[in-house]
Amino acid sequence: MLELRYCQTLPVSTLSVRKLTSKITKRAPRKGSRVAAPSLPYEDWLIEQLKNPAEAATYLETVLEEGDQAAIMLALRQVAQAQGGVAAIARKAKLTREATYKMLSKSGNPELRSLIAVLEATGLRIAVKPIEKKAA
């Protein structure tokens, strides 16, 4: 049998106040403090921007510079959504819909030929350019 004991003796009124205060999740803003406005969803705006091939190319290039593969796959998926949806891009790229969704997931690791096919279906291509040296 399990027995519960308090380490220190507290009056019952203190325990009830402690329980009540621990259930409070929101605090009133301090007098004179500024409360940030709630943020708006950005995805709809981003998808609309990515319909422009120049914007999509710049977006992908920026994400590629960061080098995070999960972010790259997410960015490519967003571009595909902007260009008619992943299923439509899969048809244009002559890939299965399931394989395309898997490829464009966070853990996706596409073959080069699949990546090129998806990029071409979105109206983009891979380009290679020299790395610019940063000024010291």
Side-chain angles (χ1 to χ4, degrees):
M1 183 169 170
L2 183 64
E3 184 177 316
L4 299 175
R5 296 184 190 196
Y6 289 104
C7 293
Q8 63 186 135
T9 307
L10 297 172
V12 175
S13 61
T14 307
L15 287 175
S16 359
V17 170
R18 190 176 272 178
K19 285 181 184 177
L20 287 174
T21 57
S22 68
K23 291 182 181 180
I24 297 173
T25 56
K26 291 185 178 180
R27 293 183 183 207
R30 293 182 183 177
K31 192 173 187 178
S33 70
R34 296 171 53 172
V35 178
S39 62
L40 298 173
Y42 71 94
E43 282 240 348
D44 293 337
W45 175 85
L46 178 62
I47 299 300
E48 190 62 35
Q49 299 302 309
L50 295 177
K51 288 180 180 179
N52 178 343
E55 290 289 330
T58 303
Y59 179 63
L60 284 173
E61 203 170 284
T62 303
V63 174
L64 280 166
E65 286 176 4
E66 292 177 14
D68 179 13
Q69 185 167 343
I72 294 166
M73 293 298 104
L74 175 63
L76 190 54
R77 184 182 190 131
Q78 291 166 331
V79 169
Q81 287 174 341
Q83 301 298 323
V86 176
I89 294 301
R91 277 191 299 277
K92 286 182 186 175
K94 296 185 174 116
L95 299 169
T96 65
R97 183 179 51 84
E98 294 83 7
T100 307
Y101 273 104
K102 186 176 179 181
M103 177 179 82
L104 299 178
S105 71
K106 285 183 182 179
S107 60
N109 190 13
E111 289 184 4
L112 183 58
R113 110 184 93 194
S114 300
L115 179 61
I116 290 171
V118 167
L119 285 171
E120 285 179 357
T122 60
L124 301 170
R125 66 185 172 105
I126 294 177
V128 178
K129 60 183 181 179
I131 298 172
E132 296 175 11
K133 294 183 179 179
K134 294 181 181 178

